Amino acid sequence: MLGIIVILTLVLCSCLGQPVSQPQKSPDISSQEHQEGLVFIHMGSSLYSLPCNPREMKVAEATYEWVQDGAVSRSLSVTKEGRLLLQHFQADNSGKYSCTISYRKNGVPASQTFHYSILGYHVLGGLDIVLLFHSKLCKDEWTKSFLWSLQKQLRQLETEQHCKIQVNDTFCFPSLSNSSGDFIVQVQLEVSLFGPNWDQHCKPEDMETLTDCYRSAVRENLWQVQLALNRFFREHKIFPITGANIPSVNFTNDFVGILQSRQCTGGYGQTKQMQSCLDCCIVCPPGTFSPPKYSQCFPCPLGTYSLIYGAAFCTACKNGTVTRSLGASSMTDCIKKERTKHGVTPTHTIPGLVLFILSSLLTINLLFILSSCCWFLRECWVSDRKNCKDEDSEQLLQDPEADPDAEPTSDPSPLDTSASQPADEKHKHGAASLAVNPNLFTLTNETIPMLTLQD
C-alpha cells in the first residue's frame, strides 16, 4: 500500500508539471519585477519612445539595460535616460521587452526590472489596383523586365506620397477582341499607406487622441495617393522594353482600376486586444498566421510552425516530421510521425527519473506480492500436513495393534455383525472393523439375501 501511494503521488506530480519537493528561495529584497502589460505601436511609426520606468523613477547613477525576447540586441537604440527608441516600427519589431534599472540604495546595490509586451497594429485603409497592358509577347523574361521598369518608375511616387507599392500577382492571356495576336498582361498592385513619414503630423505623446490622428492621416493619404496614381498612368501610357536579339516590345496601358480596401495587411488580424481601437488590426503572434486580405489570425496547421510576429504563412516541417498540435511556434515542435500515431508518448509528460523510480517501485511491489503468495501457500501446505499427522496419531492411539497399511480381512459372512465370539480376540477385532465399514464386503454373482427387521 505504501508503494502504491508513492506511485500515485509521483504520477500526479509529474502530470501536473510540479516537482515533488522543491526548496523555496527567499525573495531578493534588492531586486523587484514589474509587469507593465501590453504596448501597441502603429506600423510604420516614424518614432516611438518607451521609458524604462513608466513612473519615471528618479535615481542617481542609474544604468539601463534593454533586452528583447530574452537576449540583448545591439540594434536597440537607448537614450541616456533609459528610453527605448523605435523608428519605422514593423511587425518583426514586436515581442517581449525588458528593461532593468541598476542603482544603489543606501549603499546597497538594487535593481528593478520592467517587462513589456510590444505589439504592432494598424488602422484600416489601403488601395488595390488592377492594370491591363497590351503586348506582342507573353514570355516570363519580358514580363519580369516590364514589372521591374514599372516599379522603378513608381519609386518616385512612393517617396512623394509616403506610401508603399508592391506587385501582388501577374497574369498573361491572349486578347479576345484583337485578331492580330496581341496579349493582355494583367498586373495587380497593393498600396500600403504606411510608408516612411506617413504620420509626420501625429505626435505619439498624446496617446488618447493618437489613434484618431492616424485615422485622419489615412483618409487624407488615400485621396492624395489616388490622385497621384491616376496622374502617373496618364503620363506613362507606354513602357518600352528592349533586349538582345529581339526588337523593342511595348507594354501599353489600357485600363486602371483603383479600389479602396478595408482589410488587414498580411500577418495582421482583428483580435480586439486593443480596447481603444477594436477595428484595428493587431500583429499575429508566433504560432499563428494571417494571409493577405484576411482579417483573422489562424493557428498554424499540423506539420507547420511560425517563429515570428506578423507571419503571412507558416513554415512546413522538414524531414517528414509533424507537429504535436495546432499553433506550433518553434522548430522543436516538429517530431517524427511514429510518435504521434497514438498521441504523445509518456516520455513527453513524465520525466525519465520519474519513470525509473516508477519501474523500480513496481518491480519491488511485484516481488513482494509473489513472495507473500509463496509464503502463504507454504504455510497452508505445512498446516495441512500437520493436521493429517494428528489424525493418524489419534487413530493409532485408539487402535494400537491395527496396521494402517494392512488390507481389510475378508469374511464370508460380513452381514452377521450381531454375533460375538469372545474366545478369539483377534477375530473379534476383525469383526468390529467390518461392522464399522459395512460397504467393504465383496460382491459376487450369487444373490445376497435381504435381511428384514424380523430376521
Side-chain angles (χ1 to χ4, degrees):
M1 291 299 296
L2 180 59
I4 293 174
I5 293 174
V6 172
I7 291 172
L8 293 177
T9 304
L10 290 174
V11 170
L12 290 175
C13 291
S14 61
C15 292
L16 293 175
Q18 299 176 355
V20 178
S21 61
Q22 183 176 0
Q24 298 182 355
K25 297 182 179 180
S26 59
D28 189 0
I29 301 177
S30 62
S31 179
Q32 297 180 7
E33 301 281 337
H34 306 276
Q35 295 290 340
E36 299 301 330
L38 297 176
V39 177
F40 296 96
I41 303 178
H42 199 285
M43 180 173 63
S45 296
S46 300
L47 180 63
Y48 192 94
S49 177
L50 181 63
C52 181
N53 180 8
R55 293 173 288 275
E56 298 291 343
M57 180 179 60
K58 300 296 183 180
V59 294
E61 300 181 357
T63 58
Y64 304 90
E65 183 182 20
W66 280 91
V67 175
Q68 180 182 5
D69 295 329
V72 179
S73 177
R74 296 181 179 179
S75 60
L76 297 179
S77 178
V78 182
T79 64
K80 295 181 179 180
E81 295 78 16
R83 301 180 71 90
L84 177 66
L85 301 180
L86 298 170
Q87 297 179 335
H88 307 295
F89 190 87
Q90 298 300 323
D92 55 359
N93 296 129
S94 302
K96 298 184 181 299
Y97 290 76
S98 300
C99 179
T100 302
I101 306 177
S102 300
Y103 57 95
R104 299 185 70 86
K105 183 177 181 180
N106 299 327
V108 179
S111 64
Q112 295 191 39
T113 302
F114 300 88
H115 301 280
Y116 301 91
S117 293
I118 300 180
L119 298 176
Y121 79 100
H122 72 81
V123 297
L124 294 176
L127 294 175
D128 291 330
I129 303 175
V130 177
L131 305 174
L132 297 180
F133 296 87
H134 278 282
S135 175
K136 295 292 184 181
L137 294 177
C138 189
K139 294 183 179 181
D140 291 340
E141 56 269 20
W142 295 109
T143 303
K144 291 180 180 179
S145 298
F146 159 66
L147 293 177
W148 180 83
S149 176
L150 175 63
Q151 289 181 313
K152 182 180 179 181
Q153 297 188 44
L154 288 173
R155 292 288 181 266
Q156 182 65 27
L157 188 146
E158 289 180 336
T159 304
E160 294 175 354
Q161 301 299 324
H162 310 290
C163 63
K164 295 180 180 179
I165 304 175
Q166 62 179 2
V167 178
N168 275 352
D169 212 340
T170 306
F171 303 95
C172 186
F173 48 88
S175 176
L176 299 179
S177 61
N178 193 346
S179 60
S180 60
D182 289 351
F183 293 90
I184 294 179
V185 179
Q186 177 179 327
V187 180
Q188 297 179 358
L189 302 179
E190 181 182 356
V191 180
S192 173
L193 303 177
F194 311 119
N197 300 320
W198 74 276
D199 59 341
Q200 54 186 349
H201 300 296
C202 298
K203 303 300 181 182
E205 288 79 10
D206 189 5
M207 297 302 297
E208 295 182 357
T209 59
L210 187 59
T211 304
D212 294 335
C213 182
Y214 287 153
R215 287 195 176 97
S216 300
V218 167
R219 287 194 297 267
E220 182 179 354
N221 292 345
L222 276 174
W223 177 251
Q224 296 294 334
V225 172
Q226 289 185 63
L227 293 177
L229 286 172
N230 286 323
R231 188 186 316 112
F232 174 84
F233 286 108
R234 283 197 304 267
E235 298 174 356
H236 300 80
K237 296 287 294 183
I238 299 175
F239 294 84
I241 304 299
T242 59
N245 302 326
I246 294 180
S248 176
V249 178
N250 294 330
F251 287 80
T252 305
N253 177 244
D254 288 340
F255 175 80
V256 178
I258 301 177
L259 297 175
Q260 293 188 8
S261 173
R262 290 187 60 83
Q263 294 177 333
C264 296
T265 307
Y268 288 78
Q270 291 180 333
T271 59
K272 302 187 183 302
Q273 291 175 279
M274 190 175 178
Q275 298 299 322
S276 60
C277 184
L278 295 178
D279 62 338
C280 289
C281 300
I282 312 299
V283 65
C284 297
T288 61
F289 74 104
S290 177
K293 306 305 177 184
Y294 282 80
S295 297
Q296 185 178 357
C297 295
F298 303 95
C300 289
L302 293 176
T304 62
Y305 61 93
S306 173
L307 301 174
I308 62 174
Y309 286 85
F313 303 97
C314 295
T315 305
C317 294
K318 298 181 180 179
N319 301 325
T321 57
V322 296
T323 54
R324 300 183 181 94
S325 59
L326 300 176
S329 59
S330 175
M331 190 182 300
T332 57
D333 293 331
C334 296
I335 59 176
K336 293 183 179 180
K337 291 184 178 180
E338 54 268 21
R339 293 188 179 181
T340 58
K341 288 182 179 180
H342 303 286
V344 182
T345 56
T347 54
H348 293 296
T349 56
I350 303 178
L353 180 60
V354 175
L355 286 176
F356 175 76
I357 296 175
L358 288 177
S359 60
S360 301
L361 290 175
L362 287 174
T363 304
I364 293 173
N365 278 271
L366 182 61
L367 293 176
F368 175 76
I369 293 173
L370 291 176
S371 61
S372 300
C373 292
C374 293
W375 176 82
F376 179 75
L377 293 175
R378 181 176 176 276
E379 290 294 327
C380 290
W381 181 75
V382 171
S383 178
D384 292 342
R385 187 170 181 180
K386 184 177 179 181
N387 292 335
C388 293
K389 289 182 179 180
D390 292 342
E391 292 178 0
D392 293 341
S393 300
E394 183 179 357
Q395 184 176 0
L396 290 174
L397 290 173
Q398 293 178 358
D399 191 5
E401 297 183 1
D403 186 3
D405 297 331
E407 297 181 358
T409 306
S410 61
D411 193 348
S413 301
L415 298 177
D416 190 8
T417 59
S418 60
S420 84
Q421 290 85 4
D424 192 354
E425 186 68 19
K426 187 173 184 180
H427 178 72
K428 179 180 179 181
H429 289 289
S433 176
L434 289 175
V436 176
N437 299 288
N439 295 326
L440 297 178
F441 59 85
T442 305
L443 296 178
T444 62
N445 295 330
E446 298 180 359
T447 302
I448 300 175
M450 301 298 294
L451 301 180
T452 62
L453 182 61
Q454 184 177 359
D455 295 338

